[in-house]
Amino acid sequence: MLTDEGKIFIVEGYIMQKAKVYPWYFVIISLLVYTVFSVVPGIMGICYSFTDWSAYSPDLHFVGFKNFIEVFSGDNDYLRFITNTLIFTVITTILKTGLGLLFAVALSRNIKWKNFHRGILYLPSILPILVTGLVFTSILNPKTGFLNNFLKAVGLGFFANKWLVDPKLAFGSVMAVDIWRGTGYIMTLLIAGILAIPNIYYEAASIDGANAWQRFKYITLPMLRQTLAVTIVLNVIYGLKIFDMVYALTNGGPGHRTEVLYTSVYKMMSKGLYAEGTTISSVLFIFMVIIGFFMVKILTKDEVVE
Amino acid sequence: MKRKLVSLVLCGIMTVSLAACGGGSMAPAAAPSEAPAAEEAAPAAEEKADEAADTAETPAADSAAGSTITVMASQDWVEDSEQELGKKFEEETGIHVDYQIVPADQYQDLLLTRLNSGEGPDIWGAQSGFALKTTYNVEENAVDLSNEPWMSSYSTFSAEQTGVDGKNYGLTYYDTTTDYYMIYNKKLFEAAGATVPTTYAELLDTCDKLAKSGVTPIYEPMADGWHLLMMWTGNGQVHEKNNPGVIDKLNRNETTFAAEPEMKQAIEQLKELYDKGYFGDNALSDEFADAEGYMASGEFAICMLKPGAIKTIVASDQNTEGYTEDDFGIFLLPICDNQYLNIHPTGPSRFIYSGSPNIEAAKQYLSFLLEKDNVQYLIDNAADVENIPVDVGQTPEYSKTTLDFLGSYDDQHSGMVLQDVVLYFNEQWMDINADLAALFIGDMTSDDVLKGIDDRRTQLAEAAGDPNWK
């Protein structure tokens, strides 16, 4: 019952909550550590991308935007690496989120062996990425791999392919393995989100005659928005930083078909061309900020601001 | 909202910082004000090494017992026989040898990352030659081995390739007394009516006949990312013979690969062999480790291998056809009609990391490998090793096929492989291989590949401050 007295209580409660917020100087130490070990080296990294820093010479010279011009000149493969990274990010994010949501909805219901199914789907996520990559390199070998041999054995030999070396399939294979590995993790987060939705909404909707699709569309999806926002941001950041899966499965090949930004950063750094490496890294940083900014803005547009 | 944006920016900065930290200890050295410190680093490392050497044969050597040294090398650089010798070394000295064998396509990146971040293995493997100074910064990353007792038995030719400015930093522990040539199956040739080719046109004809007889002509393991390029550079001496002075011009930056029509012809001929299916269906995923097995199976007729590999082919489990060593022969791959024997004194070599805490134990290991009995053990037990570039009184095991083949070329008809004479080439070995793969699958043109080589040469030369590129 709302009364004047009640309103006062709420206001008082709000004031009490506010009073519980810790003073700003509590974060000084952690902020200092973070600044020294993360922010400063990060800014230094960006600064180095304006130099000719390399392992070949102890001298360091300011070269302006030369390294950035090289990245965007189109004379080399960098633009393709950027495109590959973005394609990887978009496709894996959509499919991991879509499949994760599908499995989460299915496994939130009371089905038989629910936890067993959940465990099986989550299992790939706990395997180290490099191990997954190496195992799949063997499974997808066109001549001796398990997949092609299995397809041939069951009479589906026409589906057998050169999964990791056919230029048309290689990038798709890498993404498929990554989706296989990452979907279970997204599913787990979404299950937690779904289970947090009070059952009373579903009961009320059922009484009003809503079918399963309507309950999903008007209850599950809107109430999962925050969880979905988190999973999508996690997927996008992971996708932009992808390295180990590509490195283990194809090392950027065949040719440079599956090369992404971080595999090229790694190769630049290992060649001692540090400035070029940090330049690509800085470009990635700019991408992450731009994409992240708009994503957070879109996904939280209906969020109540204090 | 603003807070979220700030968190996002900070996360991004962290990502960049990780990349920036990748240079590790090189970062301060790169600062101009600290340049002298970087220059002094090498002598400092040498002093450390000298100090360790002074204490050799003393309790310091004994104190190494119980320690472990790591030997990091690319796949195929460490023979099983060497690992057996490693066990014997442990029995004698108490020093355990941990071999870290890395897949060939990942090795160079991994090694350089470790060296550049100051975390090198005790002993690291690398191809000798020009790249030691430019790519591996050997003067800073390796210990000076010029005064080691085995230097007197070490091939002068090899010492030149593992040395920089008169100092020797490495030991070539690989059969560089021969190079890679085309090993072929005589029986399959005979059945197909094919002959040993001496021109490119004849090579096409030979491959055509082999293919028609149901045999895949050439086993080309491209998955490792290093083998394919040898099919060009192994015949690279033909460029100098046909166009005298071209190598010097390349090294003085007076010409480029893209400007030399014969370079383009060479890689386009390789592409033609691939396009015609002469490398088989799975060349992109075929691995070098399987080469001898596939040659023994009779599925493939030719492969670019060391002559010593014939013994391994014959001994292979897959030799169900009962092949003998006499069933295999050797010829030169006539890319650009090449008929000059390739000489390649550089090869996988061992270097002791200057920052290693086990320098003395590592030196002991190298000395142990070069004891006469141990060299002989390697030659006798590593099937594809016929000799190594040291003279400790061992008996080489060259087959008659090898001796006949090598004996048929005099000095006038032999020359150094391209990567041993062209500057800033060997450093980009894996990149060029990747570009050639891209050429084969249609992602690049031959002009793109050659331009890529030139661009990377410029990048490396400028980074090294080469006056010819200023």
Side-chain angles (χ1 to χ4, degrees):
Chain A
M1 191 174 73
L2 288 175
T3 62
D4 286 349
E5 208 177 313
K7 280 179 187 173
I8 290 163
F9 177 75
I10 291 165
V11 170
E12 280 175 357
Y14 179 72
I15 292 165
M16 277 177 72
Q17 286 294 321
K18 277 290 196 189
K20 278 185 183 172
V21 172
Y22 294 110
W24 65 271
Y25 50 79
F26 270 40
V27 297
I28 282 185
I29 293 175
S30 54
L31 202 62
L32 199 69
V33 170
Y34 184 70
T35 306
V36 170
F37 292 105
S38 291
V39 179
V40 173
I43 292 168
M44 278 169 66
I46 294 173
C47 292
Y48 275 127
S49 52
F50 293 96
T51 69
D52 60 357
W53 182 30
S54 81
Y56 302 98
S57 168
D59 301 326
L60 195 70
H61 304 103
F62 179 73
V63 295
F65 283 92
K66 182 174 173 253
N67 296 324
F68 287 91
I69 290 167
E70 238 171 65
V71 169
F72 289 105
S73 65
D75 282 350
N76 43 47
D77 288 326
Y78 295 133
L79 288 179
R80 173 191 280 193
F81 304 161
I82 292 171
T83 314
N84 276 354
T85 310
L86 294 177
I87 290 172
F88 182 93
T89 305
V90 171
I91 292 181
T92 57
T93 301
I94 291 172
L95 289 177
K96 274 188 214 170
T97 310
L99 289 171
L101 186 59
L102 193 73
F103 289 130
V105 171
L107 296 176
S108 305
R109 294 160 183 269
N110 285 324
I111 61 165
K112 208 174 180 183
W113 294 355
K114 184 170 65 181
N115 285 333
F116 173 75
H117 294 306
R118 285 178 184 175
I120 291 290
L121 281 166
Y122 184 68
L123 208 58
S125 308
I126 58 168
L127 292 172
I129 298 178
L130 275 175
V131 172
T132 308
L134 291 172
V135 168
F136 271 90
T137 309
S138 168
I139 292 173
L140 299 177
N141 185 296
K143 209 180 239 177
T144 57
F146 169 78
L147 182 59
N148 278 0
N149 285 332
F150 173 76
L151 288 171
K152 284 170 192 165
V154 296
L156 296 172
F158 51 90
F159 279 131
N161 268 301
K162 299 171 195 168
W163 303 104
L164 293 174
V165 290
D166 183 331
K168 291 184 189 124
L169 294 174
F171 205 39
S173 302
V174 172
M175 287 192 275
V177 175
D178 191 67
I179 290 163
W180 172 83
R181 185 189 169 274
T183 300
Y185 176 64
I186 300 303
M187 175 201 75
T188 309
L189 292 179
L190 293 176
I191 285 176
I194 290 171
L195 293 180
I197 300 171
N199 213 27
I200 192 166
Y201 293 119
Y202 293 106
E203 285 169 12
S206 297
I207 291 165
D208 287 345
N211 61 27
W213 168 247
Q214 286 169 326
R215 288 199 299 274
F216 172 74
K217 190 178 173 187
Y218 296 110
I219 301 172
T220 311
L221 216 49
M223 299 203 75
L224 259 187
R225 175 173 270 183
Q226 295 307 316
T227 317
L228 278 171
V230 171
T231 57
I232 290 171
V233 169
L234 284 176
N235 273 332
V236 167
I237 290 173
Y238 170 83
L240 290 173
K241 292 194 302 181
I242 186 68
F243 166 74
D244 27 19
M245 188 61 86
V246 177
Y247 181 70
L249 282 174
T250 61
N251 198 13
H256 304 284
R257 191 58 77 97
T258 60
E259 202 87 68
V260 288
L261 278 175
Y262 261 106
T263 53
S264 77
V265 169
Y266 176 64
K267 286 173 183 173
M268 286 291 172
M269 288 293 188
S270 65
K271 275 200 206 88
L273 299 170
Y274 304 138
E276 284 82 351
T278 49
T279 303
I280 304 170
S281 201
S282 301
V283 169
L284 190 64
F285 165 65
I286 294 163
F287 272 121
M288 284 174 72
V289 170
I290 294 172
I291 293 170
F293 173 76
F294 286 108
M295 275 183 51
V296 171
K297 201 166 187 179
I298 292 165
L299 292 168
T300 59
K301 65 179 178 184
D302 295 333
E303 197 178 330
V304 178
V305 181
E306 279 179 24
Chain B
M1 182 67 214
K2 275 181 186 170
R3 261 184 286 164
K4 279 174 186 161
L5 184 62
V6 170
S7 324
L8 207 69
V9 171
L10 291 176
C11 283
I13 286 177
M14 223 175 139
T15 310
V16 178
S17 72
L18 286 176
C21 291
S25 59
M26 288 306 295
S33 59
E34 291 181 23
E39 284 161 16
E40 283 161 15
E46 285 159 19
E47 274 169 31
K48 252 194 295 178
D50 290 343
E51 280 169 27
D54 291 342
T55 52
E57 316 295 337
T58 63
D62 294 336
S63 67
S67 63
T68 295
I69 54 169
T70 51
V71 176
M72 184 173 156
S74 176
Q75 198 179 353
D76 308 314
W77 287 3
V78 175
E79 299 281 351
D80 291 345
S81 318
E82 184 186 340
Q83 298 196 37
E84 289 302 316
L85 288 172
K87 288 176 193 164
K88 190 179 158 197
F89 176 69
E90 185 173 0
E91 281 168 19
E92 287 185 13
T93 62
I95 301 166
H96 177 66
V97 187
D98 176 24
Y99 297 95
Q100 298 178 348
I101 315 288
V102 180
D105 63 330
Q106 297 167 10
Y107 178 69
Q108 182 156 322
D109 289 339
L110 184 62
L111 171 69
L112 289 172
T113 304
R114 287 188 64 176
L115 292 179
N116 289 335
S117 58
E119 293 178 5
D122 297 317
I123 296 178
W124 48 276
Q127 290 280 352
S128 54
F130 292 135
L132 286 181
K133 188 168 181 174
T134 49
T135 302
Y136 301 101
N137 198 5
V138 75
E139 289 161 294
E140 281 197 28
N141 285 323
V143 172
D144 180 4
L145 301 175
S146 308
N147 299 320
E148 286 303 289
W150 45 262
M151 276 304 290
S152 56
S153 59
Y154 186 41
S155 153
T156 316
F157 213 16
S158 293
E160 280 173 16
Q161 304 298 326
T162 49
V164 174
D165 295 336
K167 289 181 181 173
N168 179 49
Y169 291 94
L171 164 69
T172 301
Y173 191 66
Y174 194 80
D175 188 355
T176 53
T177 61
T178 59
D179 194 21
Y180 286 78
Y181 316 108
M182 306 309 280
I183 308 295
Y184 73 101
N185 185 320
K186 290 179 185 172
K187 280 188 172 170
L188 295 179
F189 266 55
E190 203 179 310
T195 51
V196 170
T198 55
T199 64
Y200 180 67
E202 287 176 13
L203 176 68
L204 290 180
D205 182 55
T206 298
C207 289
D208 190 47
K209 284 177 178 164
L210 288 164
K212 281 179 180 157
S213 73
V215 172
T216 308
I218 301 172
Y219 183 81
E220 176 41 55
M222 289 174 64
D224 301 289
W226 61 270
H227 189 272
L228 175 68
L229 185 52
M230 290 194 309
M231 294 181 84
W232 168 26
T233 60
N235 303 285
Q237 61 276 17
V238 74
H239 301 312
E240 178 67 20
K241 304 286 184 185
N242 291 348
N243 187 2
V246 68
I247 302 297
D248 276 346
K249 281 185 190 169
L250 281 168
N251 288 340
R252 289 199 303 266
N253 194 24
E254 289 168 5
T255 187
T256 60
F257 277 84
E260 298 295 328
E262 209 178 60
M263 305 289 183
K264 184 175 174 177
Q265 186 189 21
I267 60 173
E268 288 193 337
Q269 287 181 352
L270 287 179
K271 178 168 166 53
E272 189 177 12
L273 293 173
Y274 176 84
D275 288 345
K276 283 179 180 286
Y278 295 155
F279 292 167
D281 291 336
N282 292 307
L284 287 164
S285 58
D286 281 336
E287 294 179 2
F288 181 74
D290 299 328
E292 286 139 348
Y294 278 122
M295 284 296 285
S297 71
E299 195 180 326
F300 291 85
I302 311 167
C303 184
M304 196 174 201
L305 292 164
K306 306 273 284 184
I310 293 174
K311 275 191 286 182
T312 318
I313 294 170
V314 172
S316 166
D317 291 343
Q318 289 175 258
N319 182 9
T320 51
E321 305 291 321
Y323 294 127
T324 65
E325 287 189 32
D326 291 338
D327 291 326
F328 293 90
I330 310 172
F331 69 88
L332 292 176
L333 181 68
I335 289 293
C336 295
D337 296 342
N338 175 53
Q339 280 305 295
Y340 297 98
L341 179 74
N342 37 316
I343 297 173
H344 183 28
T346 67
S349 307
R350 304 293 165 80
F351 302 85
I352 298 175
Y353 180 48
S354 54
S356 161
N358 302 311
I359 289 174
E360 194 52 39
K363 282 182 175 178
Q364 258 183 282
Y365 177 68
L366 294 186
S367 296
F368 173 82
L369 290 180
L370 295 188
E371 286 172 15
K372 183 185 171 185
D373 289 349
N374 296 335
V375 171
Q376 195 63 54
Y377 181 84
L378 180 78
I379 293 169
D380 293 346
N381 292 282
D384 47 359
V385 176
E386 294 176 301
N387 200 2
I388 59 169
V390 293
D391 182 7
V392 290
Q394 77 273 25
T395 309
E397 278 206 344
Y398 296 114
S399 68
K400 184 175 179 304
T401 309
T402 307
L403 290 173
D404 289 348
F405 172 73
L406 296 177
S408 60
Y409 296 92
D410 57 23
D411 288 350
Q412 299 301 312
H413 291 88
S414 57
M416 299 271 266
V417 295
L418 218 53
Q419 67 269 32
D420 286 356
V421 288
V422 176
L423 286 167
Y424 313 116
F425 188 89
N426 207 24
E427 291 89 332
Q428 41 171 318
W429 190 263
M430 304 302 272
D431 295 295
I432 304 172
N433 272 288
D435 284 357
L436 288 174
L439 169 74
F440 288 4
I441 62 174
D443 280 1
M444 289 177 91
T445 65
S446 51
D447 290 326
D448 292 338
V449 175
L450 294 172
K451 186 177 177 303
I453 295 172
D454 290 327
D455 287 348
R456 283 188 293 264
R457 290 187 79 224
T458 302
Q459 198 175 29
L460 290 161
E462 284 179 353
D466 190 318
N468 286 321
W469 266 263
K470 280 181 179 166

